[in-house]
Amino acid sequence: MKSTYIMYIMNVLKGVSAAPGIAIGRIYLYLDENYKVPRYDVKLADLPGEMRRYRAAVQKASEEIDALKVEAAKRNLDKESGFLDAHMLMLSDPEFDKQIEKNLNKYLKNIEWILFITVKKFISALESTEDLYLRERSVDMYDVAKRVFNHLMFKDRTALPDLKMQVVLVSNDLLPSDTLMMRKDKVKGIALNGGGKTSHTAILARAFQIPAVLGLSTITDYARSGDRIIVDGNRGLVIVDPDKDTLKKYRMLRDQWTKYELSLKQQNKLPCVTKDGEHIHLHANIEMPEEIDSVIEEHADEVGLFRSEFIFMQNDFVPTEDEQFEAYTKVLKAMKNLGSVAIRTIDVGGDKLIPGLDVIEERNPLLGWRSIRFCMEHKDILRTQLRALLRASVFGKLRIMFPMISGVGELNALYEILNEVKDDLKRKKIPYDKNIPVGIMIEVPSAAVTSDILAKKVDFFSIGTNDLTQYTIAVDRGNEKVAYLYDPFHPAVLRMIKTVIENANKANIPVGLCGELAGEPRAAAVLLGLGLKHFSMAANSIAEVKKVIREIRMDEAEELAEKVLKLESADEINKLVKKWMEERIEYTE
Ligand code: PEP
Ligand code: MG
């Protein structure tokens, strides 16, 4: 099906580079049941195979209906389950089978698509009759076809935690919880139709060091389980069914990349200082306590963001206070002699749905009942988390960080709850650190603009550019359709970053940046120039960002930032920064 030159061109897809590295492997197409019908060309020689697939799926569907009939009989539901006989008749209808074969020969498309168009025609014929009985049969027709379709599409579906072979995962989209629960050692690469660079699936792929390209829109139309695929996370490219030369070239690129990574690792003990001696702090972002080993390996000086909601996502129930205490303590103890750990209270909602929490479906989830807004209504969950955090605080240097703050009101309410929890512990003589710094994430434009007010009320700021970009430009960070607009180099975002840093400096509180921008080597000079001294990123980005920072002089960076702030668009800024960086430094895009 993909042997012509034209098809090869079509099989190179450009997406968003979400996690670096190069993966070469076999596709595992993981589709959910809401997935649209795939449509691709098949050759004449493939037709018997497609027909065999169809008949096998029909056979499976018949067996399923038989089993349902047996079950119904056991429960004395023969009368109610009479429709199953009609379903059986439809499955064995020779006329339908003939029509499928005819359409397959006529359209030369995959069998799923042929089934879809054939059923559609049958259903519209049924729906247009005067006969009520026949009209109502269209529902049955749909039901039967769906049963067959599911067998065609999902016949080899393995749950992600049960993967047995090494694969490259191709899907329409993956929930952060899917990504968290999949067998990481079996997934060599990820290629998705949906998602953007700062979606939580992308963040997890980086944390797990799995090369990933997202936002491909149509990858599932080209990919078939078992076919070979290349995922080039460095350039944001995916190649399905590569030819020999491409494969050879990519094996070389993969080896070069491995060597480059190794050379970076060898320098990771060097201090993070600019060329002119300014010390810059590099912190790590983590999602799970297990990541702490790589934080230490990469010589991060602090944990700048622990996304605590991920420990809520790994089970089907909300973790107890003791389970949370254990997770926080593990990280605090590991970092005790190194640096502090900023643990963010749960940021649920949006794309992060947690089993067991009554997070509702909303029309605008990203603008809705998310994060602190959810916690303020579920104070019990927040109190439990704060108690676990306070109890853990004696084992290391804890900082508590509240996400999604939009104004002073929320902050005051949170302090009230925090103080109640502290008082309760005091009464019960349970020890906790009395000097835990409390800070907030600046990720909502209203917080950025009023950061002068907020700075007086907290001990530190951490700028969350993933959300700040999303909310400033009004562009969903996980939606590939609008990904072209999502750019933290938008002048509005950069101006806000500058304002927040200035306001933090005026109030004499530390300010860091923990969005994905901090881990992008290309952004290091601009951020330094804007006055940023604390960068927090995926642990495995530290080595390269450090290498880049060590090649920059502060006066040059400030000059660059000044020029950047005078430009009118993200495009102009990207061009200038790219040129500036390329003239001076070797780095990965
Ligand atoms: C951010 O919004 O920049 C951030 C770090 O938080 P998250 O990516 O978890 O939303
Ligand atoms: Mg955020």
Side-chain angles (χ1 to χ4, degrees):
M1 121 199 178
K2 293 156 199 147
S3 55
T4 66
Y5 178 67
I6 298 289
M7 286 307 281
Y8 273 125
I9 289 181
M10 280 186 67
N11 289 339
V12 179
L13 279 93
K14 177 89 185 101
V16 177
S17 147
I22 291 167
I24 303 173
R26 298 282 171 184
I27 294 173
Y28 174 56
L29 189 58
Y30 182 75
L31 299 174
D32 64 40
E33 296 191 7
N34 297 321
Y35 182 65
K36 67 175 186 171
V37 186
R39 179 176 187 263
Y40 52 83
D41 295 331
V42 295
K43 288 183 288 190
L44 264 177
D46 294 332
L47 298 191
E50 290 298 285
M51 211 52 209
R52 270 197 300 280
R53 287 211 298 128
Y54 171 67
R55 296 215 168 103
V58 168
Q59 178 60 30
K60 287 253 179 67
S62 313
E63 287 162 12
E64 221 170 61
I65 295 175
D66 272 337
L68 284 175
K69 280 170 63 181
V70 172
E71 192 60 29
K74 270 195 222 155
R75 298 181 190 189
N76 291 329
L77 294 171
D78 300 271
K79 204 165 142 233
E80 291 80 353
S81 63
F83 69 91
L84 290 173
D85 292 323
H87 286 197
M88 221 37 164
L89 278 177
M90 287 178 188
L91 273 180
S92 54
D93 179 2
E95 190 47 44
F96 190 75
D97 191 84
K98 224 192 277 164
Q99 202 54 47
I100 289 274
E101 199 156 15
K102 204 168 139 198
N103 284 341
L104 189 60
N105 280 287
K106 181 170 165 193
Y107 296 109
L108 292 178
K109 296 275 183 249
N110 56 309
I111 194 67
E112 293 85 352
W113 178 258
I114 297 298
L115 174 64
F116 172 68
I117 56 163
T118 313
V119 166
K120 219 168 117 187
K121 226 168 162 186
F122 267 69
I123 288 182
S124 56
L126 287 174
E127 279 174 346
S128 60
T129 64
E130 299 282 302
D131 183 330
L132 180 65
Y133 175 80
L134 281 180
R135 277 214 308 275
E136 284 176 350
R137 295 293 65 76
S138 64
V139 178
D140 293 303
M141 185 83 214
Y142 175 78
D143 194 340
V144 171
K146 180 105 176 39
R147 201 177 283 285
V148 178
F149 181 76
N150 284 348
H151 282 293
L152 279 170
M153 295 285 291
F154 310 118
K155 85 172 174 13
D156 299 321
R157 186 159 68 168
T158 310
L160 296 181
D162 302 330
L163 289 170
K164 300 270 179 314
M165 290 189 335
Q166 291 238 304
V167 293
V168 170
L169 199 56
V170 175
S171 182
N172 187 34
D173 213 344
L174 283 181
L175 291 172
S177 49
D178 286 332
T179 320
L180 189 67
M181 301 306 286
M182 72 192 182
R183 269 200 68 177
K184 273 75 91 182
D185 57 327
K186 296 292 180 206
V187 180
K188 290 169 117 181
I190 298 176
L192 303 180
N193 286 347
K197 200 182 183 84
T198 64
S199 64
H200 286 97
T201 294
I203 289 170
L204 287 172
R206 273 194 291 283
F208 302 146
Q209 305 191 34
I210 301 174
V213 179
L214 308 192
L216 288 157
S217 299
T218 56
I219 178 72
T220 49
D221 291 351
Y222 301 100
R224 284 181 72 156
S225 283
D227 282 1
R228 192 174 259 132
I229 188 170
I230 297 170
V231 175
D232 179 351
N234 297 340
R235 293 165 196 81
L237 288 179
V238 163
I239 305 163
V240 180
D241 216 1
D243 59 17
K244 269 198 192 127
D245 289 346
T246 313
L247 206 54
K248 196 166 151 204
K249 180 182 126 191
Y250 265 96
R251 285 194 174 124
M252 252 167 57
L253 284 172
R254 186 182 56 187
D255 295 347
Q256 277 170 12
W257 171 251
T258 312
K259 273 194 204 129
Y260 179 61
E261 273 195 311
L262 214 70
S263 75
L264 284 174
K265 288 238 156 55
Q266 279 157 1
Q267 303 168 36
N268 70 3
K269 286 201 189 82
L270 296 172
C272 187
V273 282
T274 59
K275 233 175 177 176
D276 49 345
E278 180 82 38
H279 188 254
I280 304 298
H281 307 265
L282 299 189
H283 314 319
N285 294 349
I286 61 170
E287 287 70 40
M288 297 298 290
E290 295 74 50
E291 286 175 69
I292 200 65
D293 295 342
S294 53
V295 172
I296 293 167
E297 225 169 83
E298 296 292 342
H299 294 266
D301 44 20
E302 289 181 16
V303 171
L305 167 66
F306 178 173
R307 293 180 163 96
S308 68
E309 61 276 8
F310 283 87
I311 58 171
F312 284 60
M313 265 189 221
Q314 62 178 343
N315 292 312
D316 282 345
F317 45 83
V318 176
T320 61
E321 182 184 318
D322 281 348
E323 284 164 344
Q324 291 187 54
F325 168 77
E326 217 172 282
Y328 308 145
T329 303
K330 179 180 162 114
V331 177
L332 285 163
K333 275 186 178 165
M335 291 296 292
K336 188 169 177 145
N337 299 319
L338 299 169
S340 72
V341 177
I343 303 186
R344 170 173 87 180
T345 58
I346 54 167
D347 181 9
V348 291
D351 63 342
K352 286 177 287 191
L353 301 178
I354 295 182
L357 289 189
D358 81 354
V359 178
I360 49 169
E361 276 198 23
E362 299 172 273
R363 224 174 317 163
N364 287 309
L366 293 166
L367 299 178
W369 204 38
R370 196 190 146 179
S371 196
I372 239 39
R373 304 163 183 193
F374 172 87
C375 288
M376 290 314 290
E377 218 172 307
H378 281 288
K379 295 200 176 77
D380 46 335
I381 293 174
L382 180 62
R383 278 198 197 98
T384 305
Q385 179 167 37
L386 290 174
R387 271 178 68 89
L389 283 170
L390 291 174
R391 282 173 52 206
S393 67
V394 292
F395 294 101
K397 297 177 203 128
L398 171 69
R399 290 189 283 142
I400 293 179
M401 181 152 79
F402 293 121
M404 278 286 287
I405 295 296
S406 65
V408 165
E410 284 160 325
L411 195 52
N412 291 340
L414 286 164
Y415 275 131
E416 212 172 286
I417 296 174
L418 181 61
N419 289 335
E420 276 168 27
V421 177
K422 283 183 178 173
D423 288 346
D424 186 46
L425 290 184
K426 237 183 262 167
R427 265 196 308 277
K428 293 183 175 133
K429 301 206 169 19
I430 299 173
Y432 65 89
D433 177 0
K434 304 285 179 311
N435 298 308
I436 304 168
V438 177
I440 55 172
M441 293 193 61
I442 303 286
E443 48 186 353
V444 178
S446 59
V449 173
T450 57
S451 50
D452 54 331
I453 304 171
L454 291 164
K456 294 182 192 131
K457 299 183 179 287
V458 294
D459 299 313
F460 67 93
F461 279 162
S462 187
I463 307 173
T465 41
N466 303 340
D467 278 317
L468 189 60
T469 305
Q470 154 168 274
Y471 294 130
T472 302
I473 314 177
V475 53
D476 179 346
R477 64 196 254 196
N479 182 344
E480 74 281 5
K481 293 270 192 306
V482 286
Y484 70 99
L485 282 172
Y486 186 95
D487 195 335
F489 274 0
H490 190 295
V493 180
L494 292 179
R495 283 180 197 194
M496 282 198 201
I497 295 175
K498 180 171 184 275
T499 305
V500 175
I501 294 173
E502 281 173 358
N503 285 331
N505 290 343
K506 270 188 219 147
N508 213 10
I509 59 166
V511 52
L513 193 150
C514 63
E516 297 313 292
L517 190 64
E520 287 189 40
R522 69 175 184 123
V526 176
L527 294 175
L528 284 175
L530 291 173
L532 188 75
K533 300 281 189 315
H534 298 257
F535 293 60
S536 194
M537 64 198 80
N540 50 13
S541 300
I542 289 179
E544 192 171 22
V545 172
K546 189 194 287 183
K547 172 187 164 291
V548 168
I549 288 178
R550 287 176 58 84
E551 292 177 53
I552 295 171
R553 274 210 340 255
M554 282 309 286
D555 57 342
E556 279 182 338
E558 280 157 14
E559 202 181 297
L560 172 69
E562 213 171 291
K563 278 191 190 145
V564 157
L565 288 170
K566 287 191 184 122
L567 296 178
E568 292 179 359
S569 70
D571 267 1
E572 287 177 25
I573 295 174
N574 276 300
K575 266 190 211 124
L576 172 68
V577 173
K578 193 167 191 279
K579 187 163 172 283
W580 192 95
M581 291 289 288
E582 279 172 358
E583 280 166 6
R584 293 166 174 79
I585 302 161
E586 189 202 346
Y587 69 101
T588 320
E589 275 278 323

